Amino acid sequence: MSGHSKWSTIKHKKARTDEKKGKEYTRIAKEIILAARSGGGDPEANSKLKLAIQKAKAINMPNDNINRAIKRGTGDLESDVIEEMNYEGYAAGGVAILLDIATDNRNRTASDIRHLFSKHGGNLGETGCVSYLFDRVGLITVNREDVKTDEEEFMLLAIELGADDVREDEDSLEIITSPESFMDVKEKLELQVKIEYADIVMLPQTSVEITDENIAAKILKLIDVLEDHDDVQNLYSNLSIPDELLEKLS
């Protein structure tokens, strides 16, 4: 797992304020709207919408909010026009950052994101400047302590169910799938073990290790402010930070 992923895990374990929860609801609502707009309002016929609804329920988003978001996506309720796009850039130390954006005002968002990159020692780049460093995959994470069978048997089972690879981390197993087989593998694995995390992500092909404390702190600050921006749906990076430094910074 990349340093950025571990940093996100540390942050998510901290108590969420009402403001943070509200931002989470807004982010997932946008995801539901976009999924329903592109693939229809039936989650059984729209895997993207099905996954978005699962995420909403995982953070206890009220059903009324979920249903309103679906109706906004299908056009049954009025909604602002939301555009999807990707922004790419570099943080300090040459760390690549890739952003999924959902906005109703692309000029405002571009200005905001450019300012945040610049303020925190990075720079917003052109389309394609870092995306080639990432692969779009399905990622399913399982805590090792939740695997009740032999780990090697579980890893073989995941491959038999359609996973492309299984990677070992200190506390977890990461199951990698193609985007197309992701939902099928996820639903089959859920019958076997508790799933900690599951989503379609942009996985870095290689990582950039940062060992300088000041540079690492600057990068993590940039990641924090970008993730807190209302129009940023997802943030991916190829950041790697040694565990001892990450713990110190947290």
Side-chain angles (χ1 to χ4, degrees):
M1 189 183 291
S2 70
H4 163 231
S5 298
K6 286 186 177 178
W7 178 252
S8 297
T9 301
I10 290 169
K11 288 199 305 173
H12 291 161
K13 284 180 179 177
K14 295 179 180 179
R16 287 188 176 93
T17 63
D18 288 342
E19 181 185 2
K20 288 284 186 183
K21 184 179 286 188
K23 284 186 176 181
E24 256 185 319
Y25 284 178
T26 300
R27 190 166 293 155
I28 296 296
K30 283 184 180 179
E31 189 171 338
I32 292 171
I33 290 168
L34 291 167
R37 190 176 74 188
S38 64
D42 179 8
E44 294 307 315
N46 182 349
S47 60
K48 190 175 179 182
L49 176 60
K50 186 175 185 179
L51 179 61
I53 292 172
Q54 289 173 352
K55 291 182 193 176
K57 290 184 175 179
I59 61 170
N60 299 317
M61 188 171 175
N63 286 330
D64 284 349
N65 296 40
I66 295 172
N67 292 330
R68 278 199 302 272
I70 293 172
K71 288 179 180 178
R72 288 191 177 108
T74 57
D76 294 327
L77 286 177
E78 284 190 21
S79 174
D80 293 331
V81 177
I82 299 173
E83 295 183 84
E84 289 182 275
M85 60 196 72
N86 302 111
Y87 288 166
E88 307 176 35
Y90 285 97
V95 169
I97 291 184
L98 182 62
L99 302 172
D100 290 338
I101 299 290
T103 179
D104 59 3
N105 187 329
R106 64 161 60 204
N107 291 330
R108 179 203 66 217
T109 303
S111 177
D112 287 351
I113 299 300
R114 184 174 290 106
H115 170 71
L116 291 174
F117 266 97
S118 178
K119 182 178 179 181
H120 297 283
N123 60 284
L124 185 63
E126 299 295 324
T127 300
C129 70
V130 304
S131 57
Y132 71 95
L133 299 170
F134 297 80
D135 294 318
R136 186 170 180 268
V137 301
L139 176 62
I140 302 166
T141 302
V142 173
N143 285 335
R144 298 182 90 146
E145 63 184 22
D146 291 329
V147 177
K148 305 306 180 185
T149 60
D150 179 80
E151 278 193 6
E152 286 192 12
E153 288 184 15
F154 177 79
M155 292 164 76
L156 287 172
L157 172 65
I159 297 296
E160 289 172 3
L161 293 177
D164 294 332
D165 191 16
V166 181
R167 302 178 183 180
E168 298 180 70
D169 192 53
E170 183 179 348
D171 300 317
S172 63
L173 297 174
E174 296 180 338
I175 297 99
I176 312 297
T177 76
S178 68
E180 294 75 23
S181 63
F182 167 73
M183 284 300 290
D184 184 52
V185 175
K186 173 181 175 291
E187 289 174 358
K188 288 175 179 175
L189 279 177
E190 282 175 328
L191 301 175
Q192 307 289 331
V193 67
K194 177 186 175 184
I195 290 176
E196 182 69 17
Y197 172 87
D199 207 351
I200 304 290
V201 303
M202 297 297 288
L203 197 67
Q205 298 163 4
T206 58
S207 59
V208 174
E209 185 172 56
I210 300 296
T211 56
D212 182 283
E213 183 176 345
N214 291 330
I215 295 176
K218 186 178 290 188
I219 296 168
L220 292 174
K221 179 60 178 177
L222 172 60
I223 287 173
D224 277 350
V225 296
L226 287 172
E227 287 187 328
D228 280 343
H229 193 281
D230 289 342
D231 296 334
V232 174
Q233 293 292 101
N234 298 295
L235 183 152
Y236 309 105
S237 81
N238 61 354
L239 171 65
S240 177
I241 300 177
D243 287 348
E244 59 273 14
L245 178 55
L246 194 60
E247 288 173 11
K248 183 178 181 180
L249 291 168
S250 66

